[in-house]
Structure formats: structure tokens, C-alpha cells
Amino acid sequence: MEQPSSHVLSDELLQSENFLLASVVRPLERLLESGCAIIQDKAVRELLTGLAYPCDDGKHWVVSQRLLDGVTELGSSSQLVAAVLACDSRFRQPWLSLMAARCQEASELSDPLQLVERIHQLGAASEWVEASLAKASLSATPYSTIERELLGTQADSISALPILTRVLTTAYQLCLWRGQALPEIAPTALQGQRPDIDWVKGRLLPAPKASVKYNRYLLVSPSSSNASESHQSVSYDQQSFDQQGFDSLPLDAVKKRSDLALDWVLGSPWALLLAAVTYEQDIWSSEGLGGLLLELPAGQSGYKPSLVQVLVLNKEGDEVLCGSLAQFVTRILAELSMALFPAAVSTQELDQQLGDVIELLIKRQVWQHRDGISGELDYYQINPQFADACYRMKGQRAFALYGKRLREAIRTQALRWRQEQESLLSQTHLISTNVTSAQFLKDVF
């Protein structure tokens, strides 16, 4: 595969720090902040090749997992912007000259391990530094304003050394990815009735409480477009739903109630994902070949839990505790080559945010909370009335037909997760047995 040019930024950009800030740094910051943004400058689009997904309108770009991982590793979106800038060989040269000078300093110290450690931290980027030894210099670079903004200090400062090391290491990996172009992304389907269009490679799913503006290339509720002008948070429940009207329906209006719930689920990505989990759970259980158990730990609220445990059963009904619902969701998205946004959301935070979604799923009779019997823990399953809606025409198209790949991802990850946990348990048991045997022999002899 042909490697993209490393000379991306023009002379005009490189010679004007203000121009570079306005034309390159700001668009990159907007992209990382919102997950999707219009990128107009040709140089920025070239820099993002292999690092972000281009959209089919030729204007928007969507953040990839590659960039999100970079934010996580660096701990800062600003430092990731610096790493993206460093994908241009001429921009990064002053930084490499500085790093080469720092390595020369380390080589003159009495402790040789200082240099070894520095080279080790640079990783593969050390070859860039080695090639720049002839240009080693501790002079300030032409980009002091950008450096103070993105790195927190000027690059020639000794305090910038660990930051610059991490940035260059990340930049080296980004440069490798630039040779692996990512596919174009189409907009989401209207009203969310086509999971085969919405839940696809490269799609970004904002966390339930993520503060993002509506964009048709992100997986958010279509009815949240009003939030784009007010800069309000777009959430799982931004879609209009008449809860009072829903609650006041007659008891025998079962079909009407479940149809309203289905419409809400199809228009709310997080509700759809969790509904699909219990839908697949229901089908799996009916097959008698194993299944899923969504268990509520003791002390948790049954209607707004901060933690739900996922257990996977084999065909004999043996359970293996695999982890939390947030961990399961993350694995499902990874199976679909999708990403959770923003990168800073921890597993614990996501578990807590999912509690708000579960509260609505129960209130709108999509999920059902069941009490455990004979000392067992409480658990969740699909509401029978909502299950009926899933087997009618509209629900069948969404879940059985268009949602097939999403359901396959749910089951595939559940089975793989169980296998991984069983393997870990076996290894732990083997180690424990070996330790016990060694202690026995020691006591005997």
C-alpha cells in the first residue's frame, strides 16, 4: 500500500504560526471535541487519512478508534493534536532536533541507563531521533505559541521532555496508520429503523450523557436536532416521548403501549442496543443452547442500577460471571468496529450512565425487573409485551432482519467472553494447584 506523503503542510502554513493555529489546530480540536466535524483545509484532510473516517458528503470527518486510543494513551486531546501535527515531517523536525540534543545530554551522564531509558520510552520513534542527531539543537522552535497551548510549555523546556517523548511515540504510530485508509461513512437512517445502516464500521456512539451536538453521521436520536443550536447535551432520552400519555393508557391497551415503546426504542440508540441484548437473550434461551443472565448485585436499585452483572450460560445452564454491562457493551461495539465517544468515559462511569437508560426501559415496559427466588439475585429480561411487538412486522424488520448483525455481535461476544473467563479460571486453578503441590513437597522434605 502506498504510504501518504509526510510533507503535508504547505510552506505558507509552516511559516505562519497564527495561520497554522487557525487552519489546522482549531479544526482538529473541533473534530476531537465533537466526534464529527467539517474539515475544509486540504492539508488537514490529508493529515487525517487513515486516522479518521471521511463521510460521503465530502465535507465531514468522524473520529476513529485510532484517535480515541491516542487520547486515552496521552491523557489529553491537546497532546493528540500535537501528535497529528507531528505526522508532517517538516513540522516535527524541530522537535526531533530537540529530542536528539536531549539524548546527547543523556549520553554524557555518568549513568548510561538514562540514555537507555530515554530510547526505550521513544520506542520506534527513536529511529526518527537517530536520523536527526546531526541536527541536534536545544534552540527554541518556531512554534512556541502552539507548544504552550498543546503541550502546556515550550518544547525546549526540560519539563516538556516526557510530554514530547509521548507525543512523538504516538505520532510514529499515527504515521503508520496513515497508510491504511479508512472507508467512507454514510449518514444514519431516519427514525433508526435500519440497524444495518446505523450500526456499521466507523460509526461513533456518544455515551448516554455525552455533550455532543446532533450530526447525521453520529449515532444519536434524530429528534435531538434542536440541541444543536442551543448546545444542550444530546442524550438517549432527547427524543420526544409522552410518558404521561403512555402511563394513562388503559390496562388492556397492550398493543398500543408496546408499539409506542418500540417507536421510542428504534429512535434511541442506547435503548435499541440494550433492547437488542434482551431480545437476543430471549431467543437464545428459547433455543436451549445457553444464554445470558443480566443480574443485579445485592444493594442495587432495581429501577436505576449503577451496576448490572453479565453472566453467560452454556447449554447445561452453568453460569460464568464475565463482567459488567458496560464492559459487555464496549465489547459489542468493538465487534462491530464501532467506537464509544468520548474516550475519557470509564467503565464505571458508563455503568452508572446505563442505569439512567435502564430506568427508562423499565418505565416504558421494554425491560422487566424480576425478583430472584430461593436466595438468587434479581435480574432483568425483556418485557413480554415488548417482546410481542418485536415479533410483529415492524419489530421483526428492525430486530430479526436489519438487526441481524447487531444480534450476532451480541452473541459472539458473549460466547467469546465466557471462553476467556473460563481460560483465566483454569490458569488460576493451575497456578494454585502448583503452589499447593510445591508447599506440600517442601513440608515433606
Side-chain angles (χ1 to χ4, degrees):
M1 184 178 293
E2 185 179 350
Q3 191 73 17
S5 172
S6 61
H7 301 292
V8 178
L9 303 177
S10 66
D11 292 337
E12 186 180 10
L13 280 169
L14 291 170
Q15 291 169 8
S16 172
E17 195 173 16
N18 289 335
F19 193 22
L20 193 58
L21 271 167
S23 301
V24 181
V25 173
R26 298 296 178 242
L28 289 174
E29 288 176 335
R30 286 195 297 271
L31 177 64
L32 293 175
E33 180 183 2
S34 62
C36 180
I38 292 176
I39 303 296
Q40 297 176 325
D41 193 280
K42 181 182 177 182
V44 183
R45 292 199 297 268
E46 283 191 49
L47 278 175
L48 289 173
T49 299
L51 305 181
Y53 288 90
C55 297
D56 64 357
D57 65 350
K59 299 177 182 179
H60 286 84
W61 289 70
V62 174
V63 169
S64 72
Q65 187 66 59
R66 296 170 178 178
L67 290 179
L68 292 173
D69 287 344
V71 173
T72 301
E73 290 168 9
L74 293 170
S76 162
S77 59
S78 296
Q79 290 180 25
L80 183 64
V81 171
V84 175
L85 283 172
C87 287
D88 181 272
S89 58
R90 291 190 294 174
F91 178 86
R92 70 173 175 259
Q93 186 54 59
W95 289 355
L96 293 176
S97 297
L98 277 168
M99 189 58 68
R102 295 300 182 192
C103 287
Q104 286 180 341
E105 280 183 338
S107 69
E108 297 169 0
L109 297 175
S110 57
D111 183 4
L113 291 179
Q114 292 288 332
L115 178 60
V116 173
E117 179 65 19
R118 196 154 296 176
I119 293 173
H120 174 71
Q121 290 172 347
L122 282 166
S126 60
E127 69 178 59
W128 281 352
V129 177
E130 184 181 5
S132 300
L133 287 172
K135 300 177 182 178
S137 171
L138 291 175
S139 301
T141 75
Y143 310 115
S144 57
T145 301
I146 290 177
E147 290 164 356
R148 284 193 295 270
E149 187 166 321
L150 301 182
L151 307 180
T153 185
Q154 289 186 198
D156 58 309
S157 166
I158 189 64
S159 62
L161 181 58
I163 301 171
L164 199 56
T165 300
R166 293 194 300 269
V167 166
L168 289 173
T169 302
T170 301
Y172 190 92
Q173 179 59 64
L174 296 181
C175 285
L176 295 179
W177 279 329
R178 288 190 64 240
Q180 305 168 22
L182 296 171
E184 194 172 78
I185 291 182
T188 54
L190 293 176
Q191 304 305 319
Q193 296 184 33
R194 292 292 301 272
D196 58 324
I197 294 175
D198 293 347
W199 299 78
V200 295
K201 181 176 182 177
R203 189 74 75 198
L204 212 59
L205 176 63
K209 290 189 176 181
S211 179
V212 297
K213 291 188 289 183
Y214 171 73
N215 187 295
R216 62 197 181 111
Y217 291 103
L218 299 179
L219 195 52
V220 294
S221 173
S223 61
S224 60
S225 55
N226 292 336
S228 63
E229 295 178 3
S230 62
H231 297 278
Q232 295 175 357
S233 297
V234 171
S235 73
Y236 56 90
D237 193 35
Q238 199 73 41
Q239 185 189 16
S240 175
F241 186 87
D242 183 5
Q243 185 67 49
Q244 186 175 358
F246 181 87
D247 293 337
S248 63
L249 286 171
L251 291 176
D252 59 353
V254 175
K255 183 177 182 299
K256 174 68 173 176
R257 190 179 290 107
S258 60
D259 284 345
L260 287 172
L262 179 62
D263 288 339
W264 169 69
V265 164
L266 295 181
S268 306
W270 280 103
L272 175 61
L273 177 56
L274 297 191
V277 169
T278 50
Y279 176 83
E280 185 61 21
Q281 175 195 46
D282 190 51
I283 291 178
W284 203 349
S285 176
S286 68
E287 294 171 350
L289 299 174
L292 278 171
L293 183 60
L294 304 176
E295 202 172 64
L296 190 66
Q300 291 285 325
S301 165
Y303 297 95
K304 190 178 180 180
S306 59
L307 177 66
V308 174
Q309 296 176 159
V310 178
L311 295 87
V312 183
L313 292 67
N314 60 14
K315 60 183 180 181
E316 285 79 27
D318 298 326
E319 304 169 357
V320 172
L321 174 60
C322 293
S324 74
L325 184 59
Q327 290 173 305
F328 190 35
V329 163
T330 304
R331 293 178 68 102
I332 293 168
L333 293 178
E335 180 71 20
L336 294 167
S337 297
M338 294 175 57
L340 182 68
F341 180 83
V345 178
S346 68
T347 298
Q348 183 179 7
E349 288 172 330
L350 182 56
D351 271 317
Q352 291 174 342
Q353 292 183 28
L354 289 177
D356 293 324
V357 185
I358 292 170
E359 181 181 25
L360 291 179
L361 289 172
I362 294 173
K363 188 181 293 185
R364 294 169 188 179
Q365 299 181 19
V366 177
W367 273 24
Q368 187 176 54
H369 169 250
R370 301 295 300 271
D371 294 329
I373 56 174
S374 302
E376 294 180 348
L377 295 174
D378 294 2
Y379 61 95
Y380 297 103
Q381 63 182 31
I382 195 168
N383 188 296
Q385 295 176 6
F386 182 76
D388 290 341
C390 293
Y391 290 109
R392 292 193 286 270
M393 184 177 292
K394 189 173 186 179
Q396 274 283 86
R397 284 201 304 266
F399 288 97
L401 179 60
Y402 299 129
K404 183 180 179 182
R405 187 164 177 265
L406 174 57
R407 288 174 37 235
E408 287 175 346
I410 292 169
R411 189 177 298 207
T412 297
Q413 278 301 317
L415 291 170
R416 189 175 301 160
W417 206 4
R418 179 187 170 98
Q419 291 173 352
E420 291 172 5
Q421 292 303 114
E422 286 180 325
S423 178
L424 286 173
L425 288 171
S426 297
Q427 291 175 17
T428 302
H429 177 70
L430 180 60
I431 292 171
S432 177
T433 301
N434 289 340
V435 170
T436 302
S437 298
Q439 185 62 46
F440 172 76
L441 292 173
K442 181 180 178 182
D443 293 341
V444 170
F445 296 102

